[in-house]
């Protein structure tokens, strides 16, 4: 029994020593680690550019968080680079990185949790002009990448390239970097014959799911009543002012796949398995 008591006392002493040691380490870290700033992504305002609309924008809402409640922020510098994802004959036309905007601390206003917030919005024309990119070389599938630099009032700079920065996704959603894809979203209906191909991976129909095509207020639904596939030709006549494709889900969504070919023959949209419900965004560059 005496040995047991001794072991218990020794164990308690070891735990106490470890606890004291950990407290000292924590205190030392808190006293010596340099604190910086994160730019938390509060909301995505728009994440895709429309090549057919130079005024289309990329946008996010940022929230500055630091040890002084965001008061250490001096400004946020915005850098952009055109990324050529449609390289032809090994001729990569990607641009160098260039600064395209600056958001001063005065542009931030207090958010609902007491931290300063501001919207970062850059149009496609601003991004291309700022990076020295000729719009004639841009194609659907290319992208604009963004990198942010947050400068503090004491001169320190934080970005996704700096040691100590919360980078490339984190608990705080503070990547300091974003990518906006460039699509060709028609601003007016593209006329001609579309080909809609539906597939059910199990082979028993679309289980209540369907695609609705709205042409000038007239709705037509397309689905697979049974079997593994179905194809439809959708004619969009000259003079059409409204053309909307919408996906409505059903049961067993993991079985549903579709592809929509534009009159030019290029893939205007595709989805599945498990297509995203709602309006189908078209990408028609030719």
């Amino acid at each position: 029994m005496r040995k047991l008591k001794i072991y218990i006392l020794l164990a308690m002493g070891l735990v106490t020593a470890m606890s004291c040691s950990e407290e000292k380490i924590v205190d030392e870290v808190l006293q010596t680690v340099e604190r910086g700033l994160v730019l938390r992504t509060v909301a995505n305002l728009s994440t895709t550019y429309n090549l057919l609309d130079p005024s289309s924008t990329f946008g996010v809402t940022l929230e500055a968080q630091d040890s002084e409640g965001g008061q250490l922020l001096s400004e946020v510098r915005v850098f952009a680079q055109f990324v050529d994802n449609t390289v032809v004959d090994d001729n990569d036309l990607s641009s160098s990185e260039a600064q395209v905007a600056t958001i001063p601390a005065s542009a931030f206003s207090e958010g609902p949790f007491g931290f300063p917030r501001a919207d970062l919005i850059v149009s496609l024309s601003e991004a291309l002009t700022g990076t020295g990119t000729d719009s004639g070389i841009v194609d659907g599938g290319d992208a604009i990448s963004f990198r942010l630099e947050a400068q503090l009032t004491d001169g320190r700079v934080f970005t996704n390239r700096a040691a100590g920065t919360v980078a490339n996704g984190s608990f705080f959603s503070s990547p300091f970097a974003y990518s906006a894809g460039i699509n060709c979203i028609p601003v007016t209906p593209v006329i001609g014959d579309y080909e809609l191909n539906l597939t059910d991976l199990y082979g028993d129909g679309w289980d209540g799911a369907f695609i609705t095509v709205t042409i000038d207020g007239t709705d037509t639904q397309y689905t697979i009543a049974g079997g593994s596939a179905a194809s439809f030709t959708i004619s969009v006549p000259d003079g059409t002012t409204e053309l909307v494709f919408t996906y409505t889900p059903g049961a067993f969504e993991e079985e549903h796949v579709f592809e929509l070919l534009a009159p030019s023959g290029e893939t205007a949209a595709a989805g599945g398995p498990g297509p995203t419900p709602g309006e189908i965004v078209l990408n028609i560059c030719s």
Side-chain angles (χ1 to χ4, degrees):
M1 179 65 71
R2 184 176 298 175
K3 288 183 178 180
L4 180 60
K5 289 181 179 179
I6 292 174
Y7 290 148
I8 292 175
L9 290 173
L10 287 173
M12 292 176 63
L14 180 61
V15 169
T16 302
M18 291 175 62
S19 177
C20 293
S21 176
E22 289 177 356
E23 289 179 1
K24 289 180 179 179
I25 293 174
V26 171
D27 291 339
E28 184 178 351
V29 169
L30 291 177
Q31 292 171 6
T32 60
V33 171
E34 185 179 45
R35 297 190 180 189
L37 175 143
V38 296
L39 288 173
R40 192 167 74 88
T41 307
V42 177
N44 292 311
L45 304 178
S46 53
T47 59
T48 303
Y49 281 124
N50 183 5
L51 182 58
L52 306 179
D53 180 11
S55 66
S56 61
T57 61
F58 163 80
V60 292
T61 299
L62 303 172
E63 182 177 79
Q65 296 187 4
D66 56 44
S67 58
E68 300 295 331
Q71 299 307 306
L72 295 179
L73 179 65
S74 173
E75 66 178 18
V76 175
R77 293 185 287 270
V78 183
F79 295 84
Q81 178 187 18
F82 167 68
V83 181
D84 184 6
N85 290 325
T86 54
V87 178
V88 178
D89 297 329
D90 295 326
N91 185 23
D92 189 343
L93 301 177
S94 298
S95 73
S96 300
E97 185 183 73
Q99 184 173 346
V100 296
T102 301
I103 308 175
S106 58
F108 285 73
S109 57
E110 185 174 326
F113 303 108
F115 294 102
R117 291 186 176 186
D119 290 339
L120 162 62
I121 299 176
V122 181
S123 70
L124 178 58
S125 61
E126 290 172 335
L128 295 179
T129 300
T131 58
T133 303
D134 183 349
S135 61
I137 69 171
V138 184
D139 203 352
D142 293 334
I144 301 291
S145 64
F146 292 97
R147 180 179 65 87
L148 309 185
E149 284 186 355
Q151 180 167 325
L152 276 56
T153 53
D154 61 10
R156 287 181 295 156
V157 175
F158 288 83
T159 182
N160 69 332
R161 296 177 179 173
T165 296
V166 180
N168 296 330
S170 70
F171 174 79
F172 295 100
S173 184
S174 177
F176 282 87
Y178 305 89
S179 180
I182 301 175
N183 290 335
C184 303
I185 306 171
V187 292
T188 58
V190 176
I191 64 173
D193 290 339
Y194 292 75
E195 181 181 330
L196 179 61
N197 299 315
L198 310 182
T199 302
D200 185 83
L201 300 179
Y202 189 76
D204 63 346
W206 257 22
D207 311 294
F210 56 89
I211 289 178
T212 302
V213 181
T214 303
I215 301 177
D216 287 341
T218 300
D219 294 341
T220 304
Q221 295 180 355
Y222 298 88
T223 188
I224 306 177
S228 60
S231 295
F232 305 93
T233 298
I234 301 167
S235 297
V236 179
D238 190 12
T240 297
T241 59
E242 179 193 24
L243 175 63
V244 180
F245 293 81
T246 307
Y247 178 76
T248 300
F252 306 103
E253 277 296 290
E254 68 278 4
E255 301 173 5
H256 306 159
V257 178
F258 77 86
E259 181 184 39
L260 177 66
L261 301 180
S264 61
E266 63 187 305
T267 299
T276 301
E279 183 175 345
I280 300 169
V281 179
L282 305 185
N283 180 28
I284 304 175
C285 295
S286 299

